[in-house]
Amino acid sequence: MNRNEGSFTLPSLSSIKTAGIIGVVAAICMVLPLMIGFASAKLSATSSLQGVILAGILFPAFLLALLRPRLLVSYTLLIWAVAPELRRISDWSEGVYHSVSLLSLAPLLTGATLAIPVLREIHKIQKSSTRIILLFAVALAYGALIGLAKNGMGSVYDLANYIVPLLLLPYFAVTRFKPKDIDRLLYAYANIAVLVAIYGIVQYLTVPPWDAFWMRNADMMSIGTPYPLEIRVFSTLNSPGPAATFLVFALVPMILEKRWQGTLRWIGVLLVVVCLLTTLVRSAWLVLLVMLLVYIGTSPSKGKWKTLIQIVFVAAALFWIIPKLPGAEGLVARMETLTSVSEDHSYNERLGLWQNMLPMVAANPVGQGIGSVGQGTKLGNGGELGEYGNMDNGFIALLLTFGVIGALFFFGALGAIAKQIVSRVISKDNLQSYARLSLAAWTGAVVSLVSDNGFPGLKGYLIWMLIGLGLSAKEIIESSRKKGTPHAAIERKITSH
């Protein structure tokens, strides 16, 4: 009789893991329809429709988080881009404007699925990443405690707007992105930005009825009137500011490297630039300039000339295209104020904000807590923005939110990130382009604090994505060295890509 007959073989760890994932997916597929049906029976027709759309958005995110986590960021970028437009179309189709909608949660809930791969691989995170995350955690915990005491439930929504983008840091720390994976992500981002730009140009020329409906009911007359050529473009986003942010953070990599340009190449670049012009957001051009200068300034000599030639090409094309655009006079007049800021109304308002708010910050070093500044103030104010709902200075917004103590931890975390990025930039390897892009994003984020606090919400998501990519390249080298992979082999893989 064979000794092995009747013996019991334990399943491998990978088999158990695969079976577990299949089981979770099957459970979601069975439970989700039941939950949707039960909720639809209890909720109003409006809430049911919003709930069904929200569930349809979240289901692919769960699948990607479990099965293909490297594709999850591209999907969440798409949802950040289109969710506001889906909300407008939903309201317009019903003929009712909702100041607060379930669909507003779609980007945050989709982004929250990043926690699935993070929790699954948390044991892989390195000490350098842990230190940064702890610094942010202390600042957010402090701000949340003050916020709950002073601002109620509004602080919960605002806290989510900080936490979900920050999930990208541990996500990139534990999810091993190869150079080709990073390039694919930036390529996908460029394609999404081109689609946003195309819709934005159509919006500028025609103003679709759902966008006009939203402008009238949301009292958004500050961005123009809902007629062709009389609108500051917001495309599929919430307003011109987020639209310009989404476009400019895509435009920088598109200009800098051919492999990051997307399917339409230079045509796509020009479409994004034209749409960015129609948003009339001047601070976006400042961020664009700063990011390009940082990337070029840290590039090798050969790379500097190549990038400068590409920028000259884009500038020349714009010089020829802009006068031919419909409504070009208004676009040119707005851009001319970049050279005469001292005579500009919004610039003078921001200057006055510094003078008025600094004494208030000094008198209240504890801070107002999370939920006191920005969109979160709507939740405790009947759908209307609160006292600090519009804060045109990011430094003051952070000091008001976190107080002196919390702000020290927050800026300390930013400093620790900068230290890591710089160490990557000054190293000599072919992963350096990702580190330079990361440094450009960090610098652009800090400089943009002169106009707004970009760390929560969409802008924060884009900032931490580009920063996380650079830090992820650092993880590639360190993990490869631990496994004994020659550094030259890594370089050959990137060069051949």
Side-chain angles (χ1 to χ4, degrees), residues 330-406:
L331 298 177
V332 172
R334 178 74 172 178
M335 295 308 294
E336 283 177 349
T337 61
L338 284 171
T339 59
S340 57
V341 291
S342 61
E343 299 175 8
D344 182 65
H345 176 68
S346 61
Y347 167 82
N348 290 321
E349 278 192 344
R350 286 192 176 97
L351 190 62
L353 188 65
W354 268 108
Q355 298 168 349
N356 294 330
M357 295 300 295
L358 277 179
M360 183 179 295
V361 170
N364 183 22
V366 174
Q368 296 289 331
I370 291 175
S372 60
V373 179
Q375 295 296 315
T377 58
K378 283 184 175 182
L379 295 182
N381 201 37
E384 300 294 327
L385 288 173
E387 183 180 1
Y388 305 123
N390 287 317
M391 179 59 65
D392 290 335
N393 189 290
F395 291 104
I396 290 176
L398 287 172
L399 287 168
L400 271 176
T401 299
F402 297 108
V404 175
I405 296 173

Side-chain angles (χ1 to χ4, degrees), residues 12 18 41 55 87 110 155 177 200 210 237 239 263 266 283 296 331 368 385:
S12 65
T18 302
R87 175 188 173 184
T110 306
S155 61
F177 272 67
W210 43 87
L237 281 300
S239 64
T263 305
W266 286 106
S283 59
I296 294 169
L331 298 177
Q368 296 289 331
L385 288 173

Side-chain angles (χ1 to χ4, degrees), residues 249 282-291 293-294 350 354 392-395 398 411 414 439-455 459 463:
F249 278 96
R282 290 163 304 173
S283 59
W285 294 97
L286 174 63
V287 173
L288 176 68
L289 178 63
V290 168
M291 290 181 69
L293 288 176
V294 169
R350 286 192 176 97
W354 268 108
D392 290 335
N393 189 290
F395 291 104
L398 287 172
F411 287 112
L414 289 178
L439 181 62
W442 185 94
T443 310
V446 173
V447 169
S448 69
L449 287 174
V450 300
S451 60
D452 70 316
N453 174 22
F455 290 108
K459 191 172 182 179
I463 290 167

Side-chain angles (χ1 to χ4, degrees), residues 193-492:
V194 169
L195 293 175
V196 169
I198 292 171
Y199 183 83
I201 293 169
V202 170
Q203 186 183 69
Y204 180 66
L205 297 174
T206 64
V207 189
W210 43 87
D211 292 330
F213 174 84
W214 179 75
M215 285 182 68
R216 293 189 183 99
N217 286 278
D219 193 24
M220 291 294 288
M221 295 302 116
S222 61
I223 61 172
T225 54
Y227 301 105
L229 310 183
E230 297 181 15
I231 183 177
R232 286 180 59 197
V233 165
F234 48 88
S235 188
T236 57
L237 281 300
N238 285 321
S239 64
T245 296
F246 192 88
L247 294 173
V248 82
F249 278 96
L251 184 59
V252 171
M254 289 173 75
I255 291 174
L256 292 171
E257 299 288 344
K258 185 178 179 181
R259 67 185 187 274
W260 299 337
Q261 283 182 343
T263 305
L264 296 183
R265 301 294 184 186
W266 286 106
I267 294 174
V269 172
L270 293 176
L271 286 170
V272 171
V273 172
V274 170
C275 186
L276 182 60
L277 278 168
T278 60
T279 65
L280 300 180
V281 178
R282 290 163 304 173
S283 59
W285 294 97
L286 174 63
V287 173
L288 176 68
L289 178 63
V290 168
M291 290 181 69
L292 289 175
L293 288 176
V294 169
Y295 190 93
I296 294 169
T298 54
S299 299
S301 298
K302 183 180 177 181
K304 284 185 174 73
W305 286 111
K306 177 187 172 184
T307 308
L308 286 171
I309 289 170
Q310 291 173 175
I311 293 172
V312 169
F313 166 76
V314 173
L318 284 176
F319 186 78
W320 180 77
I321 290 172
I322 290 174
K324 295 176 173 55
L325 292 174
E329 298 83 3
L331 298 177
V332 172
R334 178 74 172 178
M335 295 308 294
E336 283 177 349
T337 61
L338 284 171
T339 59
S340 57
V341 291
S342 61
E343 299 175 8
D344 182 65
H345 176 68
S346 61
Y347 167 82
N348 290 321
E349 278 192 344
R350 286 192 176 97
L351 190 62
L353 188 65
W354 268 108
Q355 298 168 349
N356 294 330
M357 295 300 295
L358 277 179
M360 183 179 295
V361 170
N364 183 22
V366 174
Q368 296 289 331
I370 291 175
S372 60
V373 179
Q375 295 296 315
T377 58
K378 283 184 175 182
L379 295 182
N381 201 37
E384 300 294 327
L385 288 173
E387 183 180 1
Y388 305 123
N390 287 317
M391 179 59 65
D392 290 335
N393 189 290
F395 291 104
I396 290 176
L398 287 172
L399 287 168
L400 271 176
T401 299
F402 297 108
V404 175
I405 296 173
L408 283 174
F409 282 96
F410 195 94
F411 287 112
L414 289 178
I417 288 173
K419 184 179 178 181
Q420 283 198 33
I421 297 172
V422 170
S423 70
R424 284 288 305 113
V425 170
I426 61 178
S427 64
K428 303 296 181 183
D429 58 69
N430 283 351
L431 291 172
Q432 200 186 50
S433 59
Y434 307 112
R436 293 200 303 271
L437 181 61
S438 183
L439 181 62
W442 185 94
T443 310
V446 173
V447 169
S448 69
L449 287 174
V450 300
S451 60
D452 70 316
N453 174 22
F455 290 108
L458 170 63
K459 191 172 182 179
Y461 198 86
L462 300 175
I463 290 167
W464 297 127
M465 180 188 75
L466 294 181
I467 289 175
L469 289 175
L471 297 179
S472 176
K474 172 179 177 290
E475 303 282 348
I476 292 169
I477 289 180
E478 291 185 355
S479 62
S480 299
R481 284 173 177 166
K482 287 178 180 178
K483 293 176 182 178
T485 305
H487 186 67
I490 303 171
E491 293 189 1
R492 280 198 299 273

Side-chain angles (χ1 to χ4, degrees), residues 141-156:
Y142 176 84
L145 287 173
I146 303 297
L148 282 170
K150 292 189 175 183
N151 309 309
M153 291 305 296
S155 61
V156 177

